Amino acid sequence: MYKTKEKIYEWIFMATAFSSLIFLLGIIIVLFNEGLPIFKDVGVFQFIFGSSWYPTHIPPEYGIFPVIIGSFVVTLGAMFIAVPLGMGSALYIYEMASEKQRNILKPVVELLGGIPSIIFGFFGMVIIAPFLQSVLKIPTGLCAFTGMVVLGIMAIPVVCSIAEDALSFVPRSYREASYALGGNRWQTLIRVVIPAAGSGISTAIILGVSRVIGETMTVLMVTGGAAMIPKSIFDPVRPMTSTIAAEMGEAAMGSPHYHSLFAIGLILFLITLVFNVIAEVISRKYRIKLGLDV
Amino acid sequence: MKLLKVMASAAVVLTLAASASAEKAKIVMEGSTTVLPIAQAAAEAYMDKNADVNITVRGGGSGVGISSLMDSTCDIGNSSRPIKGSEIAVALTKGVDPKANVIAMDGICVIVNPANGVSALSKKQVKQIYTGEINDWSKVGGTPGKIVVVSRDTSSGTYEAFGTLALEGAKVRPDAMLQASNQAVATTVGQTAGAIGYIGLGYVTSSVKAVTLNGVDCSKATVLNASYPYSRPLFMYTNGKPQGEIKKFIGWLLSADGQKLVETQGFVPLK
């Protein structure tokens, strides 16, 4: 009796543990199943590198290159903002902040990470876009640059908290050894602590990229949504996520347009998968290097 | 014994009543995504009032609606364009006689920022702006400055209507900003000095300025008498003259109540 009870509990917990795997598999199957049919109508190369996206025009054109470029431009720009600010705050919180400051700063950074993306979208659309439009004298504030700024702000907490974790994982003995050899605080930080935490910091940056490239609501609201390859960062762009979000509601089920949106989702999924695998590999290496548990 | 009889007959009556109410009248509508918001809102409001009617609404596009009507897989085919002669011929061979019921008018206003000096454009100029031939306001009589072209998402009914009425099938320039709703277009144009956009007549507010087209202003009156170039009727096609529950439904949609609903969805009521 006791044994069967034990077994039942074991099974229940095993089911919960494997539920994520089942959901993931389900999503992958659906993405492939619904995304692949588009390649019967359009070649893979033509789909990914085609330069015009007119899915509802007659005849339709399914080229997602401008959309992919849109995602990459915005993500790259956002990282130029998130990495210095996120890293800077991580270093300050770890190295210089007093106990009191740290107790305020850490929760504040986490709070920033908890704000729903639609609120960032509103903020970008109503405050930042009109502001940039009047200050920079650009034709429209809804452009790639605004997207970079808002997404950059959104990615700061991801970069900051993971980088800060990585820094605090560096064993105390490393720093003490550096001081013992006569290194000052700056030398210890730059030459010992940061290199030791290097892979953790790379993980922070890569996960920040994942966060930004998959963000949907904000980019839909602030980047303007023109499916073209931008000539400057002040041109409107249309990243992959907002293309799916904006068009899925009206695409007739089972039509090539519908399948092409799933195919964009599939490509986006593969991109974030690659980033996450890289992050995982790097962080494993780093734990081994520091002699921590793998 | 008597009691038993009474109970038995009561049970029979109750079963009959129950089976009668279970036999709900069914209406299936399918077709145009432009008509979809009207159809959905009307179906909901009508079912609230008439519990014994069940209305199903599906999108798919005008062509889909008309072909389902031919195949008798729907009772009402919604369409944002008149039926084609070829479609009528096919329908007749299948024993279906499509009859047009105009349920609303759709008018698309071209809007600019209120600070913009331009308040009149020609149909040709609008087409040139939207296809990328004209890029600067000075070309259409305004103060020099880049024209920021705002359009709707390629899947929206308004985009489709604008594509047919204004662009005559040409492609919208790729650098046009695509916004997800009429409201978003109005907001963007209201905030951007050099912007031009298009929205349903029902969405025009004081934060934007509707321009005249070929000298005709965009208003209820001009849309109703079709003198405004970007206006078109919206149809619900039925097999023969509407009968029974379908007749009641369309009749209700054309009544003052129904037409008020048409207006809240951003279209132009017939009255």
Side-chain angles (χ1 to χ4, degrees), chain A residues 227-279:
Chain A
M228 60 153 186
I229 297 168
K231 290 186 198 74
S232 87
I233 56 170
F234 300 111
D235 277 340
V237 292
R238 184 182 184 80
M240 293 193 263
T241 47
S242 56
T243 306
I244 301 174
E247 296 177 19
M248 191 48 103
E250 311 250 15
M253 223 173 139
S255 65
H257 185 197
Y258 176 84
H259 291 307
S260 69
L261 294 177
F262 269 99
I264 296 178
L266 181 63
I267 289 166
L268 187 62
F269 170 75
L270 293 176
I271 292 171
T272 45
L273 183 74
V274 167
F275 280 128
N276 281 297
V277 167
I278 294 174

Side-chain angles (χ1 to χ4, degrees), chain B:
Chain B
M1 198 59 194
K2 211 175 179 183
L3 188 69
L4 208 67
K5 258 187 185 167
V6 171
M7 276 173 70
S9 50
V12 169
V13 170
L14 279 177
T15 336
L16 282 178
S19 67
S21 72
E23 292 262 321
K24 277 191 169 184
K26 265 191 181 171
I27 302 178
V28 178
M29 285 196 272
E30 189 166 3
S32 166
T33 49
T34 313
V35 186
L36 194 64
I38 300 180
Q40 256 163 356
E44 278 166 28
Y46 192 75
M47 283 191 286
D48 279 348
K49 284 203 180 105
N50 305 276
D52 56 336
V53 185
N54 190 358
I55 305 178
T56 314
V57 184
R58 292 194 293 251
S62 301
V64 173
I66 289 169
S67 68
S68 324
L69 184 73
M70 290 176 195
D71 297 334
S72 303
T73 52
C74 73
D75 305 305
I76 299 176
N78 297 334
S79 179
S80 58
R81 60 168 170 80
I83 193 167
K84 292 173 191 162
S86 57
E87 287 168 330
I88 296 179
V90 176
L92 290 175
T93 63
K94 293 185 178 179
V96 173
D97 174 26
K99 278 277 175 296
N101 305 278
V102 175
I103 50 120
M105 291 295 287
D106 187 10
I108 298 168
C109 300
V110 176
I111 53 167
V112 296
N113 191 277
N116 195 322
V118 176
S119 53
L121 288 170
S122 69
K123 238 188 123 174
K124 193 176 169 208
Q125 284 170 328
V126 171
K127 186 178 173 184
Q128 284 173 325
I129 289 172
Y130 270 88
T131 51
E133 281 174 56
I134 295 181
N135 293 304
D136 201 284
W137 283 111
S138 60
K139 296 253 178 65
V140 290
T143 46
K146 187 175 184 274
I147 302 181
V148 178
V149 178
V150 184
S151 180
R152 283 293 306 281
D153 274 311
T154 51
S155 323
S156 89
T158 315
Y159 174 91
E160 177 207 18
F162 189 77
T164 317
L165 297 168
L167 306 181
E168 290 142 346
K171 280 192 266 186
V172 169
R173 54 197 295 166
D175 63 352
M177 296 167 60
L178 304 187
Q179 295 293 320
S181 66
N182 277 299
Q183 201 57 61
V185 172
T187 310
T188 309
V189 173
Q191 279 179 354
T192 313
I196 184 168
Y198 58 85
I199 53 178
L201 176 59
Y203 293 93
V204 176
T205 62
S206 57
S207 66
V208 295
K209 182 170 75 173
V211 299
T212 64
L213 216 59
N214 288 354
V216 184
D217 64 333
C218 184
S219 70
K220 259 186 207 178
T222 56
V223 168
L224 269 181
N225 68 19
S227 60
Y228 183 71
Y230 300 163
S231 60
R232 59 176 182 172
L234 300 178
F235 302 94
M236 286 191 176
Y237 279 95
T238 49
N239 180 9
K241 276 203 162 170
Q243 301 286 334
E245 205 53 59
I246 300 171
K247 184 180 175 187
K248 273 196 229 163
F249 172 71
I250 292 181
W252 174 80
L253 187 51
L254 294 176
S255 73
D257 276 358
Q259 290 296 303
K260 199 184 273 172
L261 202 137
V262 163
E263 195 166 13
T264 55
Q265 295 299 321
F267 296 94
V268 182
L270 300 171
K271 287 167 200 164

Side-chain angles (χ1 to χ4, degrees), chain A residues 32 85 137 188 213 218 251 257 291:
Chain A
F32 274 92
L85 286 178
K137 303 255 180 298
T188 305
I213 206 167
T218 312
H257 185 197

